Amino acid sequence: MESKYSGYMGRVVMYDLSTQTLTDYPWSDRERELFIGGKTMASKIMLDNFTGQEKPFSEENLIVITTGPLTGTGAPSSSRFNISTLSPQTLITTSSNCGGRFGWYLKKAGFDALILKGKCPEHSWLEINNDKFVMHNADDLWGLKTGETQEALQEKHKMPNGKLMKYGQLAIGPAGENQVLYASVISDERASGRGGVGAVFGWKNLKAITVRGNKTVPVKDPEKTKQWIIKWDKYIKSHPLTGNQLPRLGTAGLVSSMQMRGMLSSKNYNYGKYEHFDKVNGETLAEDFNIVNKGCLTCPMKCARTVEVNGKPVKGPELETLGLLGGGILNPNLADILKWNYEIDELGMDTISASSTLAYAMEANEKGLWKNGLEFGKTDNISQIWDDVAHRRGIGAELADGSKRLSEKYGGKEFAIHSKGMELAAYEPRRAVGQGLGYAVSNRGGCHLNGGYLVIVEGLGLYTNPLTHHAKADFTMLFQNLMETISASGQCLFTSYAFFPGFLITRPNGVITTIANKAIPFIGGVLRLINRVSPALALHLPVFHHTKIFSYALGMPMTFGKYIRTGERSYNVERLVNSKFGVNASWDTLPKRLTDTPQDPNNPKTKVPLETLKKTYYKARGWDQNGLPTKHTLRKLGLGEYC
Ligand code: SF4
């Protein structure tokens, strides 16, 4: 269905892997206005197609690959695409946002989204060339690691003159084939890591997808779009977080700040500091190992690190991996982390869930609950463990099911660090209680980003009181909403880091920053009002360039208020999908270690007051006590048909 808006290619298609048939999926301009694209679009498609009876490993489960309307327009950091599906890890919806070239080429092939259903009758890979979909046998690729698979696909994309075609690709590794519950999908070097999307690919016998096309993404006003992008790029590059810290140190640059604030989880979240943090932080990575910075297409931040492993330049670890495979398992050896990070990606697994599950297993062993031979600080056999997990061999077969299921079998639920079955990132929420709320209510489970990333005001950008519950729920809702729309547009969430004026970051002790930090806990009511009347905020903010690009590039009217409301709708649509599978307030939890045991035994405030926070959060969101959207909220968001 053609669109009156630019930025969109106008086609959403459904491909049946069982029968190899392609059909158009109706998607109207009204839906484009309400749901934009990306994860939000995927959630709406799942909401309309799932009854709540579907199983992750079933022909009825959908894999929904979506792009955003800004992908292909040249907007900063806009090459992202999203994969959503019913997660085998959490049994509810998951979405995994990824860089790489795949989204860009999916649009060049003429598609805003690709929905996959059914199951390939044999090991297969799918080749898309504009409108042409061809399924190939993948017996020669089955068993290969993600890098090997992508290299083999390159050979299949060479022209007669030996030159490589321009195309995007996705691949799973052995972990996906063996349905490790946190298996990832890899695109180039980037990962769609969370929630086990790779396992669903594997169950459906789908090893890889390649896509190429020769269409152009339409842009409404190319000149104004170009001017705005130049201005925006300049702003991003001049901001201390997006123009300095991220390009210089990547996300790894946060390790030292987290240590300073007691937010660096250590020994499976027993502590918030790691004595050898300086051996595994961003500064050491940059000085001793970083070869070159790399980035996704159209990204001025280039946060990715390239490091050398066994003489080969490979993708370096993110902060979460450094934290969880450093202090998390009491390992001060950065070279080991680089190697393991590469191995986990090559096997096709999520580094966060793999690392956190390992830490749980070490603690279960230490406490005598599960004699598995794994010990904190004992790291000589870890590479073998990853291989065993990906191939489901020995204790690897058990680790492949993640910490939630292991704790149900062996005990130790209080230190299985997950929410809704998905393991948490390395941010210790007992020193950032707003982040704790975010982890608990996040629609896809223990995700720092889907949770609102409140650590940025609780110590990693601003320094408001990290232990108070005041204003945290309203802030969480606002940030979640903003990030939902950024993601739906096809942009990287890191573009939101420039939201706070740079001087607040560079002058942490300045008068204005001090006032801002002190004032934040008292502005919950103001934030609540902003959230409530958002459509009335028909304005643009100078620090938030995301809104004006909509009218320049897409010809779609957008304001700051509408942007917030769109994100709010998105969050609720995802919640509605999950409610079909039984999600309610009882799912919004954290392990007792984080809610009942103070991180500092002498300071009872160093734990997450989750029930208090949840109560305010549900109220702010217009959800009932059971954590579900009320009819009034759904009608307000244009979702009345789902009442
Ligand atoms: S900030 Fe990093 S992850 Fe985001 S688009 Fe840029 S390079 Fe990719």
Side-chain angles (χ1 to χ4, degrees), residues 77 80 190 294-296 299 301-304 492 494:
S77 320
R80 315 291 298 184
R190 311 300 303 185
K294 250 187 168 177
C296 307
C299 181
M301 292 176 269
K302 306 228 175 301
C303 78
C492 178
F494 292 166

Coordinates of all heavy atoms in Angstrom, one line a residue, residues 77 80 190 294-296 299 301-304 492 494, ligand 1:
S77 N 22.6 8.2 12.8 CA 22.4 6.9 13.4 C 21.1 6.2 13.1 O 20.4 5.6 14.0 CB 22.5 7.0 15.0 OG 23.5 8.0 15.3
R80 N 19.3 1.6 11.9 CA 18.8 0.5 12.8 C 17.6 -0.3 12.2 O 16.8 0.3 11.4 CB 18.4 1.1 14.1 CG 19.3 2.1 14.7 CD 20.6 1.5 15.2 NE 20.5 0.5 16.2 CZ 21.5 -0.1 16.8 NH1 22.7 0.2 16.5 NH2 21.3 -1.0 17.7
R190 N 27.2 -6.5 14.1 CA 26.2 -6.1 15.1 C 25.3 -7.2 15.5 O 25.1 -8.1 14.7 CB 25.4 -4.9 14.6 CG 26.2 -3.8 14.0 CD 27.2 -3.1 15.0 NE 26.6 -2.6 16.2 CZ 27.3 -1.9 17.1 NH1 28.6 -1.7 17.0 NH2 26.7 -1.5 18.2
K294 N 34.7 2.2 15.1 CA 33.8 1.9 14.0 C 32.4 2.2 14.3 O 32.1 2.4 15.5 CB 33.8 0.3 13.8 CG 34.6 -0.1 12.5 CD 34.4 -1.6 12.4 CE 34.8 -2.1 11.1 NZ 34.6 -3.6 11.1
G295 N 31.5 2.4 13.3 CA 30.2 2.7 13.7 C 29.2 2.2 12.6 O 29.6 1.7 11.6
C296 N 27.9 2.3 13.0 CA 26.9 1.9 12.0 C 26.8 2.9 10.9 O 27.3 4.0 11.1 CB 25.5 1.7 12.8 SG 25.6 0.7 14.2
C299 N 26.3 7.1 11.3 CA 26.4 7.4 12.7 C 27.6 8.3 13.0 O 28.7 8.0 12.7 CB 26.5 6.2 13.6 SG 26.6 6.6 15.3
M301 N 28.6 9.1 15.9 CA 29.2 8.8 17.2 C 30.2 7.6 17.1 O 31.2 7.6 17.9 CB 28.1 8.4 18.2 CG 27.2 9.5 18.6 SD 25.8 9.0 19.6 CE 24.5 8.6 18.5
K302 N 30.0 6.7 16.3 CA 30.9 5.6 16.0 C 31.4 5.0 17.4 O 32.5 5.1 17.7 CB 32.1 6.0 15.2 CG 31.7 6.7 13.9 CD 32.5 6.1 12.7 CE 32.1 6.7 11.4 NZ 30.7 6.4 11.0
C303 N 30.4 4.5 18.1 CA 30.8 4.0 19.5 C 31.4 2.6 19.5 O 31.9 2.2 20.5 CB 29.5 4.0 20.3 SG 28.4 2.6 20.0
A304 N 31.4 1.9 18.3 CA 31.9 0.5 18.4 C 33.4 0.5 18.4 O 34.1 1.4 17.8 CB 31.4 -0.2 17.1
C492 N 19.2 5.1 16.5 CA 19.9 4.5 17.7 C 19.5 5.3 18.9 O 19.4 6.5 18.9 CB 21.4 4.6 17.5 SG 22.3 4.0 18.9
F494 N 21.1 5.9 21.4 CA 22.2 6.7 21.9 C 22.1 8.2 21.5 O 22.7 9.1 22.0 CB 23.6 6.2 21.6 CG 23.9 4.9 22.2 CD1 25.0 4.1 21.8 CD2 23.2 4.4 23.3 CE1 25.3 2.9 22.4 CE2 23.5 3.2 23.9 CZ 24.6 2.4 23.4
Ligands
SF4_1 S1 26.0 5.0 18.6 FE1 27.0 3.1 18.2 S2 25.4 1.5 18.2 FE2 24.4 3.6 17.9 S3 24.3 3.8 15.7 FE3 26.2 4.7 16.4 S4 27.8 3.2 16.2 FE4 25.8 2.1 16.1

